[in-house]
Amino acid sequence: MEWKGRQESDNVEDDRGRSSGGFGGGGGGGLGLLMTIGRVFGIKGILAAVVVGAVLWKMGIVDPGMLLGGGPSSGGSQQVQASPEEQERYHFVKVVMKETEDVWTAEFAKHGKKYVLPSMKVYRGQIRTACGGGSAAMGPFYCPGDQVVYIDLSFYDELARTFHSPGDFAQAYVIAHEIGHHVQKLLGVSDKVAAMQGRPDYNEYSVRLELQADYYAGVWANHSKQDLKLDNSDIEEAMTAANAIGDDMIQKKMQGRVTPKAFTHGTAAQRMRWFKKGLDSGRIEGGDTFSMSYRDL
Ligand SMILES: [Zn+2]
């Protein structure tokens, strides 16, 4: 894979200086929160919030700056200097992001649709999102509520170490999968699946959604093959990553056994199969993971 020197996306925000202090990100968080509590619960609510805040502060769970309204200090002493490797990864994700923008804009246009560009936020540690608090431990994720892909670059160390899938293209695949969720958001698929939450068979729909995102990652790879000079070893890498981060593999690592009912992403074999399907076809249309029976996925 060749990516250096390629154009980078303008829709990537560097939040690494701000996000390390906890969920107060965004500035002015604490005071705004108190005012909201005041509006809803009155003065008693504010007093209760202050007491709870003070207890949390004493326990070391929040820092006082957050409660008083400043949010964690941005920049200054909390700024962690990025290593040269991390900076390289930062440029890498921007190039991959740009590549997804180009491919999906063209694919949507083929169908007379407009691809609304998502954003990406690179953070460190913890971050507040429209989907709740995000943390590095969750790995990269897409939030449909604000249409942002969140990524803590340390995930890539984790990917290399724990799941044995180093390599540039494995890292690109992970982003392409999250962008696949954005495609689903724009096509209305994710909203339909979200509406099923609470149903006993919701987990199956969640798996179908995940496998479709893998398919879209494959579609993207099909169109980026030439730009990024992908070869067979790159594709192998992506398959290894898909293989490594299947739910069955993750479950085995974490608890030593596999419980299919708790699958949310599909098995490693399923993920590889759908990624490959997308890669071979390069077409949005071939990614219907919802019509076929669950067994045949
Ligand atoms: Zn996913």
Side-chain angles (χ1 to χ4, degrees), residues 15-27 61-63 66 71-73 78 123-129 133-134:
D15 228 24
R16 287 175 293 177
R18 195 160 19 153
S19 43
S20 53
F23 290 136
I61 295 173
V62 296
D63 80 89
M66 262 171 74
S73 45
Q78 281 195 343
Y123 72 101
R124 193 182 271 138
Q126 296 178 322
I127 193 163
R128 192 198 301 205
T129 83

Side-chain angles (χ1 to χ4, degrees), residues 36 160 259 263:
T36 310
T259 43
F263 282 2

Side-chain angles (χ1 to χ4, degrees), residues 73-108:
S73 45
S74 33
S77 59
Q78 281 195 343
Q79 191 110 37
V80 183
Q81 203 65 41
S83 66
E85 291 83 16
E86 190 184 334
Q87 269 322 89
E88 181 165 307
R89 279 180 181 160
Y90 179 63
H91 290 293
F92 172 80
V93 298
K94 286 174 86 169
V95 167
V96 173
M97 185 71 169
K98 171 69 178 149
E99 198 67 31
T100 64
E101 290 167 355
D102 292 349
V103 167
W104 288 114
T105 298
E107 285 310 294
F108 271 57

Side-chain angles (χ1 to χ4, degrees), residues 177-178 181 210 265:
H177 171 91
E178 299 310 326
H181 286 312
E210 291 303 327
H265 278 76

Side-chain angles (χ1 to χ4, degrees), residues 10-293:
D10 295 326
N11 302 300
V12 178
E13 195 183 308
D14 188 357
D15 228 24
R16 287 175 293 177
R18 195 160 19 153
S19 43
S20 53
F23 290 136
L31 199 57
L33 185 65
L34 277 185
M35 283 164 71
T36 310
I37 291 172
R39 262 199 304 278
V40 179
F41 299 104
I43 187 74
K44 276 188 188 157
I46 294 183
L47 287 174
V50 169
V51 169
V52 170
V55 170
L56 292 177
W57 173 27
K58 266 243 181 282
M59 293 166 73
I61 295 173
V62 296
D63 80 89
M66 262 171 74
L67 296 172
L68 297 174
S73 45
S74 33
S77 59
Q78 281 195 343
Q79 191 110 37
V80 183
Q81 203 65 41
S83 66
E85 291 83 16
E86 190 184 334
Q87 269 322 89
E88 181 165 307
R89 279 180 181 160
Y90 179 63
H91 290 293
F92 172 80
V93 298
K94 286 174 86 169
V95 167
V96 173
M97 185 71 169
K98 171 69 178 149
E99 198 67 31
T100 64
E101 290 167 355
D102 292 349
V103 167
W104 288 114
T105 298
E107 285 310 294
F108 271 57
K110 271 185 209 162
H111 295 80
K113 288 187 161 72
K114 183 175 160 36
Y115 182 64
V116 180
L117 299 184
S119 342
M120 176 185 274
K121 265 189 193 170
V122 179
Y123 72 101
R124 193 182 271 138
Q126 296 178 322
I127 193 163
R128 192 198 301 205
T129 83
C131 301
S135 77
M138 294 161 64
F141 62 96
Y142 171 76
C143 169
D146 49 21
Q147 307 196 3
V148 175
V149 172
Y150 291 91
I151 185 165
D152 179 317
L153 297 174
S154 67
F155 170 76
Y156 285 142
D157 298 326
E158 189 67 14
L159 191 66
R161 221 181 10 244
T162 318
F163 297 117
H164 309 291
S165 27
D168 291 346
F169 194 67
Q171 301 177 1
Y173 156 76
V174 172
I175 295 173
H177 171 91
E178 299 310 326
I179 295 296
H181 286 312
H182 179 64
V183 170
Q184 293 173 317
K185 169 72 185 168
L186 297 183
L187 297 178
V189 182
S190 24
D191 288 344
K192 272 189 205 143
V193 171
M196 292 179 180
Q197 221 149 8
R199 280 173 48 155
D201 57 351
Y202 171 73
N203 195 50
E204 288 190 11
Y205 286 95
S206 163
V207 169
R208 291 176 190 275
L209 191 73
E210 291 303 327
L211 294 178
Q212 190 179 57
D214 284 327
Y215 176 86
Y216 289 148
V219 170
W220 170 76
N222 173 296
H223 293 280
S224 295
K225 238 188 279 180
Q226 284 198 325
D227 278 356
L228 299 176
K229 304 214 168 43
L230 301 181
D231 58 26
N232 282 339
S233 73
D234 292 313
I235 302 302
E236 288 283 313
E237 264 178 24
M239 304 285 260
T240 309
N243 189 33
I245 55 187
D247 282 333
D248 47 353
M249 295 297 181
I250 295 173
Q251 283 187 3
K252 246 187 243 162
K253 277 221 156 62
M254 302 302 174
Q255 49 185 335
R257 66 196 150 82
V258 177
T259 43
K261 272 232 156 125
F263 282 2
T264 50
H265 278 76
T267 65
Q270 285 174 323
R271 298 198 68 173
M272 280 169 68
R273 187 157 63 242
W274 283 95
F275 172 75
K276 187 78 180 18
K277 268 194 193 195
L279 177 72
D280 292 342
S281 92
R283 292 159 52 86
I284 296 186
E285 296 88 336
D288 183 1
T289 54
F290 289 89
S291 306
M292 64 173 66
S293 90

